Amino acid sequence: MASIMVACSSNKKPIATDTATEVAGSEVDFKIEKSGAQLWGEVCNRCHIAPSPADYNDTDWETISLHMRVRANLTEEEITKIESFLKSAN
Amino acid sequence: MTLIILGLGSSALAQTYNTFEPSKTQFMLRGYGHTGFEYLDTGGEQESTFLGATFAPIFLYKHSDKLMFEAELEFELEGNELKTGLEYADVMYVLNKHMTVRAGKFLLPFGTFMERLHPAWINRLPSRPLGFGHDGIAPASDIGVELRGAFDLGGPKLNYAVYVTNGPRIKDGSEEPEEAGMLDFGYYEDVNLAKALGGRIGLLPLSDSSMEWGISAYTTNSTGAEDSDYKDVGAFLWALDLSYVKSITPLQGVVDIKAQYNSSNVDTATYYEIEDGISEPYSFDNQSSSFYTQLSYRPIMSGSDFMKQLEFVGRYSDFNAPEGAEWEEKSTQYAFGLNYWLSWRSVVKFSYQTTKMEGGHDSDGTTRTNGLFVHWAIGF
């Protein structure tokens, strides 16, 4: 039973909502930090309608995020926060 | 004994469950497709047709958090023939937080339309603006190496891309005399030792990233074959682009403005036309330009669920090909559309488009083409 519980708990990664904030916060203290949800609304809509988080699983969002980071030339902070939001809301 | 069986059973179950963990490498199949109906009236000559479906699968292979391969194929029915193409196929590596290197065949960041906006499920109208696509002056893709990245300037953001590619081939008129002097960006084999250099800088001055200004440049010293008369014919192209996307509460919706100006300057050269069996040399100032601006509005704050799915679009575009060329042309186009969004990546587009063309491929006079389009696009 214990091993089953370990397997279950290790399958879903914890939501890394704070990581990007810490990285960005240490670099630019004076600006108001935006949430992943805010950036999802602002950044994705520049080209296409912002995607529904529920449409893909965490693994897929990781792949799509790397693809979109390069395709749309996004900053590391933007894509990290957006990816975290999509994975937390799907 | 019972305990041993239970222990083995739970261990086996845990192993089975672990097979659902994501692998370190990931593969995805994405893409888009579209189909539709078109009615065209060109100077009184009418035609209508359902369009064969166009299908563009995109392959994404994520090897690690830094390394990825991406490729897009194109399948399109043109008449009775299935046309295939390779839109892009490149490998990319994130060097650091501000720089990524790409190599292979990639979409060129010359402005934003071809790189970001042309897929059918993103483009708000069924057609491309004048100056893009077949016989267009804006380069779409090429084979080479590119560095790109972005910086956060504490609110405003800056992004950049610089690349080296094989470059275009100039059409010398030997195969298609009516296109002599035109740059062929779809000819990917390198015909000479020279390479094309290009890049784009994008600035997002507002903290909400609603506005982006971009400037692009693209140059090459040689567009002709190494042993041809056109070896030293160079080219310089530049573009300006604008994007503004903002949710405006008094308008109860999202306003989306896009614009791009393209300019192409090719060195003057001598071409030949055959008249009555005699080869006659001619030359012209090989400068072309095109421009488009598009406004769309989605009333996403409307109280009606139906209205929320609608989008109203208008676009103006023009194209000026060199005076004196066999392909001399001055065209203007207006397009109006009404879209219904079934989801964030599936849209049914209804549009009317009217194009006035003076000249074009050695034809004289003015031609007006009116068209009605119904397209259905879906991304996946």
Side-chain angles (χ1 to χ4, degrees):
Chain A
M1 180 59 87
S3 56
I4 294 172
M5 288 178 69
V6 169
C8 286
S9 61
S10 65
N11 194 44
K12 181 78 178 177
K13 293 175 189 169
I15 298 162
T17 49
D18 295 328
T19 313
T21 311
E22 284 169 14
V23 171
S26 62
E27 289 180 356
V28 191
D29 291 329
F30 58 88
K31 80 173 181 185
I32 299 169
E33 289 302 327
K34 290 189 177 181
S35 67
Q38 265 183 297
L39 290 170
W40 164 74
E42 290 176 1
V43 175
C44 303
N45 277 314
R46 274 160 33 193
C47 295
H48 55 76
I49 294 177
S52 167
D55 279 13
Y56 296 103
N57 61 31
D58 290 3
T59 308
D60 289 344
W61 280 128
E62 289 171 11
T63 306
I64 294 167
S65 295
L66 182 56
H67 172 64
M68 288 312 304
R69 171 184 179 171
V70 178
R71 180 75 175 265
N73 231 352
L74 307 180
T75 66
E76 185 182 61
E77 181 191 345
E78 284 174 326
I79 200 62
T80 304
K81 285 188 171 183
I82 291 169
E83 182 186 323
S84 294
F85 164 70
L86 291 166
K87 289 162 72 174
S88 70
N90 61 1
Chain B
M1 182 58 117
T2 309
L3 282 173
I4 292 170
I5 292 170
L6 278 174
L8 288 172
S10 63
S11 173
L13 191 57
Q15 283 178 355
T16 305
Y17 202 82
N18 275 337
T19 61
F20 292 101
E21 284 187 3
S23 56
K24 286 182 181 174
T25 59
Q26 295 158 14
F27 177 79
M28 270 192 90
L29 179 61
R30 296 194 64 197
Y32 58 92
H34 70 93
T35 186
F37 176 81
E38 294 183 355
Y39 169 82
L40 293 171
D41 183 327
T42 307
E45 192 174 314
Q46 295 147 350
E47 56 180 311
S48 71
T49 180
F50 285 102
L51 298 170
T54 298
F55 169 51
I58 297 173
F59 302 86
L60 301 176
Y61 170 69
K62 181 171 171 281
H63 184 80
S64 70
D65 290 342
K66 293 176 180 289
L67 181 62
M68 170 174 264
F69 173 81
E70 59 172 10
E72 179 181 326
L73 296 173
E74 290 177 312
F75 297 93
E76 185 177 10
L77 268 178
E78 271 199 2
N80 293 317
E81 290 191 11
L82 177 65
K83 283 189 66 177
T84 59
L86 180 64
E87 181 93 340
Y88 56 83
D90 59 78
V91 60
M92 61 177 81
Y93 187 80
V94 180
L95 295 168
N96 58 51
K97 66 187 294 186
H98 300 302
M99 187 180 287
T100 298
V101 60
R102 285 204 295 185
K105 184 170 189 270
F106 50 85
L107 296 173
L108 296 179
F110 186 79
T112 54
F113 184 81
M114 288 310 296
E115 187 188 36
R116 302 180 189 176
L117 307 173
H118 84 275
W121 71 279
I122 296 176
N123 187 4
R124 300 301 204 257
L125 287 162
S127 63
R128 294 175 178 178
L130 296 175
F132 296 92
H134 185 64
D135 291 352
I137 61 169
S141 63
D142 206 351
I143 301 170
V145 182
E146 179 199 54
L147 291 174
R148 61 168 47 207
F151 294 87
D152 189 335
L153 306 177
K157 295 178 184 68
L158 181 80
N159 60 65
Y160 71 92
V162 289
Y163 53 85
V164 183
T165 63
N166 283 340
R169 178 189 69 156
I170 197 163
K171 293 184 178 180
D172 60 10
S174 57
E175 294 172 10
E176 296 169 295
E178 71 279 9
E179 294 188 350
M182 193 182 281
L183 292 180
D184 184 0
F185 293 103
Y187 194 87
Y188 297 104
E189 182 182 334
D190 206 351
V191 295
N192 51 44
L193 294 174
K195 299 290 174 278
L197 300 172
R200 176 181 180 274
I201 293 175
L203 176 66
L204 293 88
L206 307 178
S207 61
D208 64 1
S209 299
S210 57
M211 179 183 286
E212 180 173 5
W213 287 95
I215 182 165
S216 309
Y218 178 99
T219 184
T220 179
N221 290 328
S222 175
T223 55
E226 200 65 24
D227 56 354
S228 75
D229 295 338
Y230 303 96
K231 180 192 169 191
D232 295 326
V233 176
F236 177 74
L237 294 83
W238 61 275
L240 282 175
D241 61 83
L242 166 70
S243 171
Y244 181 72
V245 182
K246 182 81 174 175
S247 180
I248 299 175
T249 305
L251 295 177
Q252 294 201 315
V254 174
V255 171
D256 186 335
I257 298 169
K258 297 282 189 291
Q260 184 169 329
Y261 175 80
N262 304 315
S263 174
S264 170
N265 299 280
V266 180
D267 291 344
T268 302
T270 302
Y271 306 96
Y272 298 89
E273 61 180 345
I274 309 291
E275 283 198 12
D276 301 327
I278 301 169
S279 179
E280 293 282 347
Y282 72 101
S283 185
F284 57 90
D285 187 12
N286 198 345
Q287 296 193 36
S288 310
S289 66
S290 71
F291 171 75
Y292 91 91
T293 183
Q294 177 180 290
L295 169 67
S296 65
Y297 166 70
R298 282 191 301 130
I300 60 166
M301 292 176 234
S302 165
S304 160
D305 288 341
F306 176 75
M307 288 294 291
K308 284 179 183 174
Q309 308 305 116
L310 291 181
E311 181 173 43
F312 304 88
V313 195
R315 185 183 72 199
Y316 166 83
S317 64
D318 62 39
F319 175 53
N320 296 298
E323 199 172 326
E326 297 282 306
W327 41 290
E328 175 182 346
E329 173 186 337
K330 287 188 189 303
S331 296
T332 54
Q333 182 185 86
Y334 294 89
F336 306 94
L338 176 64
N339 300 335
Y340 184 81
W341 288 90
L342 298 164
S343 74
W344 64 273
R345 53 184 169 175
S346 181
V347 59
V348 180
K349 310 176 203 178
F350 304 89
S351 84
Y352 168 75
Q353 184 175 293
T354 179
T355 309
K356 181 184 171 189
M357 181 169 77
E358 293 175 31
H361 286 76
D362 204 21
S363 64
D364 297 322
T366 301
T367 309
R368 182 173 288 280
T369 302
N370 299 320
L372 290 169
F373 305 83
V374 182
H375 278 206
W376 186 0
I378 182 167
F380 55 85

